[in-house]
Amino acid sequence: MVKKGLVALVLAAFVAGGVFAQEEYKHQPFDMLLGINSGLGVSPNIGGAFNLQKGNYAITFDLGLTYDFYLFNWLSFNTGLLLHPDIYVLLDQDQFGDDNFTKYAATPVCLTIPLAAHINVPKVEWLYAGVGLNLNIPVSSMLDDTVIDIDTKGDFFIGLPIDIGFDFIKPGKGGSRFFFRITPEIHENGTTLPVGFMWQVYNWKIYSK
């Protein structure tokens, strides 16, 4: 009986060792992914813009491609190219003199280059978080008649996205991610704070060891 018990324990150890050795991670070092992204951000106090209350307000959008490179199975670096339209309302005047908030709105359409680092939290790899730097290059504007001073062409401004959310990608395959984002966007005459989400509709694993 003791001998059979020892044999059973040895077999169980081999099985457990095999399962542990074959444990799959969502990502492996040197994995590369190409993803389609869509996002939206809104200042929590956006209602004040329509009532012409002093403050900085924003609605932002994102659409484009990102590239991920995994240095470790839990750490990735990201870049890409996004189309990034914005609506800003910076109400600093003592007297507005007009009840049409579009007079005080700037609407740059930017090309955005994101630079970021993200982690898949060890042991809970579905939890995805990171920080980054967005280089926003205004190339056009949706409105021309405005009294606030935000460049709509030429000079870039920066955003500082902070992300936390979910990675639905399966080991060895592609998939989606959804994460919540807060992005301070810093302009010469004010900072806006849109809060929203980024949905990586699908990520293709274009390289894996």
Side-chain angles (χ1 to χ4, degrees):
M1 183 67 68
V2 173
K3 187 176 180 179
K4 289 182 178 179
L6 288 173
V7 171
L9 285 174
V10 171
L11 290 174
F14 273 111
V15 171
V19 169
F20 182 82
Q22 294 174 18
E23 180 180 357
E24 286 190 293
Y25 295 96
K26 281 183 176 292
H27 309 286
Q28 299 295 332
F30 309 116
D31 277 1
M32 300 180 192
L33 292 86
L34 183 67
I36 298 177
N37 296 252
S38 177
L40 171 69
V42 179
S43 295
N45 60 345
I46 191 67
F50 297 92
N51 296 323
L52 292 182
Q53 300 175 9
K54 285 187 178 182
N56 298 341
Y57 312 96
I59 300 175
T60 66
F61 307 91
D62 289 285
L63 181 65
L65 298 174
T66 54
Y67 165 81
D68 287 30
F69 173 78
Y70 271 83
L71 184 61
F72 307 111
N73 65 292
W74 54 272
L75 174 64
S76 64
F77 296 97
N78 326 99
T79 188
L81 184 63
L82 305 173
L83 185 65
H84 181 72
D86 297 313
I87 301 173
Y88 297 115
V89 182
L90 307 184
L91 299 178
D92 296 325
Q93 299 86 349
D94 291 327
Q95 292 182 339
F96 306 121
D98 196 318
D99 60 0
N100 183 358
F101 86 94
T102 60
K103 292 285 186 179
Y104 307 96
T107 56
V109 177
C110 306
L111 291 177
T112 294
I113 301 171
L115 304 170
H118 288 85
I119 63 170
N120 290 83
V121 178
K123 305 300 183 182
V124 281
E125 289 185 295
W126 50 265
L127 186 58
Y128 185 76
V131 295
L133 171 69
N134 285 349
L135 304 178
N136 300 296
I137 306 169
V139 294
S140 184
S141 176
M142 294 180 283
L143 289 176
D144 294 322
D145 185 14
T146 179
V147 297
I148 68 172
D149 183 23
I150 292 180
D151 289 334
T152 56
K153 292 183 180 179
D155 296 340
F156 72 84
F157 60 93
I158 65 170
L160 302 171
I162 302 167
D163 304 326
I164 185 166
F166 310 100
D167 185 340
F168 300 112
I169 297 173
K170 295 181 179 180
K173 299 181 180 179
S176 65
R177 293 189 182 110
F178 185 91
F179 45 92
F180 299 99
R181 167 171 287 185
I182 179 170
T183 310
E185 293 197 331
I186 302 169
H187 302 273
E188 184 176 349
N189 64 337
T191 298
T192 60
L193 195 65
V195 177
F197 66 87
M198 182 67 73
W199 177 30
Q200 294 187 341
V201 181
Y202 196 83
N203 292 277
W204 288 271
K205 191 158 288 190
I206 58 177
Y207 176 80
S208 184
K209 291 182 67 176

